[in-house]
Amino acid sequence: MTYPAATTAPKTVLITGASSGIGEATARRLAAAGHQVVLGARRVERLAALAKEIEADGGSALPHTLDVTDPLGMRSFVQAALDHYGRIDVLVNNAGVMPLSRLDALRTDEWDRMIDVNLRGVLHGIAAVLPTMTAQGGGHIVNVASVSGLRVDPTAAVYSATKHAVRALSEGLRQESRHLRVTVISPGLTHSELAETIADRDTKDAVAGQMAIAIPAAAIGEAVHYAITQPAEVDVNELVVRPTAQG
């Protein structure tokens, strides 16, 4: 049987949380493959430095300040991409926070922050790009979830709830469209700045002890590249990428 080759046509790809970790690694991987990347994050100086590096290597990158909890800011991010490149092929909803703690610690502000960034931020991204993708007759939304969306561990109840929700809304979106591709990528232990958002000292120390087996963020960037470069009729719905040693 002969399988169709993955497409290599350049795409315009919007990436949230692009200033570090998985977002940065994904931007570098896709730009190296010839795609045009639009970089969104709050730390605009880091985005500018990343865009400069990408362009010095022959790629195309547009940095734009973005707070995913602000729907107007998300729409501005999308409009900047349209103004600069004329279309939107892929949105990578990557921005996230992970301030783990036991529920009885009652860190309710942290619960709200996880819901705002990890879930509402994804919804804001979907809402901002759907009209354009519908008008174009196609597009691809990649939502970065977590293996915590497949299981629940102590201290991760709220974080897991947000990632379970991302998987649920992704499946709903997929079923509602016959022209839109939807992919969920669930990383396991990965080197990023997520652990730095943990304020609970005991939990932070426990997570730090697990990071010896973590995989590089580039592994997730490679998974995104794989998903978006498949032929248009192929929708890679879910990829779980974790260290071989992770239980």
Side-chain angles (χ1 to χ4, degrees):
M1 181 176 180
T2 301
Y3 293 93
T7 179
T8 56
K11 298 176 182 287
T12 298
V13 184
L14 282 62
I15 305 170
T16 72
S19 60
S20 66
I22 290 171
E24 177 185 351
T26 299
R28 291 185 186 277
R29 177 65 181 94
L30 299 186
H35 300 293
Q36 301 158 158
V37 294
V38 184
L39 314 172
R42 290 177 300 161
R43 295 176 294 186
V44 68
E45 71 287 346
R46 293 181 68 162
L47 294 181
L50 175 58
K52 187 174 181 180
E53 289 181 31
I54 287 172
E55 292 186 337
D57 289 335
S60 179
L62 174 68
H64 194 280
T65 183
L66 173 65
D67 179 350
V68 298
T69 68
D70 176 12
L72 292 178
M74 182 66 79
R75 290 200 288 271
S76 175
F77 175 59
V78 169
Q79 189 60 51
L82 284 171
D83 291 344
H84 195 77
Y85 291 117
R87 63 179 289 111
I88 296 170
D89 298 296
V90 183
L91 168 66
V92 181
N93 274 315
N94 165 72
V97 293
M98 190 185 71
L100 305 179
S101 65
R102 289 173 52 92
L103 287 171
D104 57 14
L106 297 179
R107 293 179 176 268
T108 57
D109 288 345
E110 293 179 352
W111 301 352
D112 290 341
R113 181 66 177 163
M114 281 187 277
I115 292 167
D116 286 343
V117 176
N118 299 355
L119 180 53
R120 286 198 179 95
V122 170
L123 287 166
H124 293 161
I126 291 170
V129 299
L130 266 185
T132 296
M133 290 183 173
T134 299
Q136 291 173 172
H140 195 163
I141 294 178
V142 179
N143 294 327
V144 178
S146 169
V147 294
S148 292
L150 303 168
R151 57 185 288 174
V152 183
D153 296 303
T155 75
V158 179
Y159 180 71
S160 291
T162 64
K163 295 304 185 176
H164 276 77
V166 167
R167 294 182 66 241
L169 72 89
S170 300
E171 176 61 9
L173 179 62
R174 183 192 71 79
Q175 293 196 35
E176 289 176 6
S177 175
R178 291 298 176 266
H179 304 289
L180 188 73
R181 298 199 293 179
V182 181
T183 300
V184 177
I185 296 182
S186 296
L189 286 167
T190 303
H191 287 294
S192 73
E193 295 183 357
L194 267 184
E196 295 180 15
T197 66
I198 302 173
D200 183 87
R201 175 50 57 186
D202 289 342
T203 303
K204 191 167 189 174
D205 289 345
V207 171
Q210 299 170 4
M211 293 305 290
I213 64 168
I215 56 177
I220 312 304
E222 191 64 42
V224 175
H225 176 261
Y226 170 78
I228 74 167
T229 55
Q230 297 308 300
E233 67 273 18
V234 176
D235 187 3
V236 178
N237 299 142
E238 187 157 14
L239 290 168
V240 180
V241 184
R242 58 184 145 203
T244 303
Q246 185 172 353

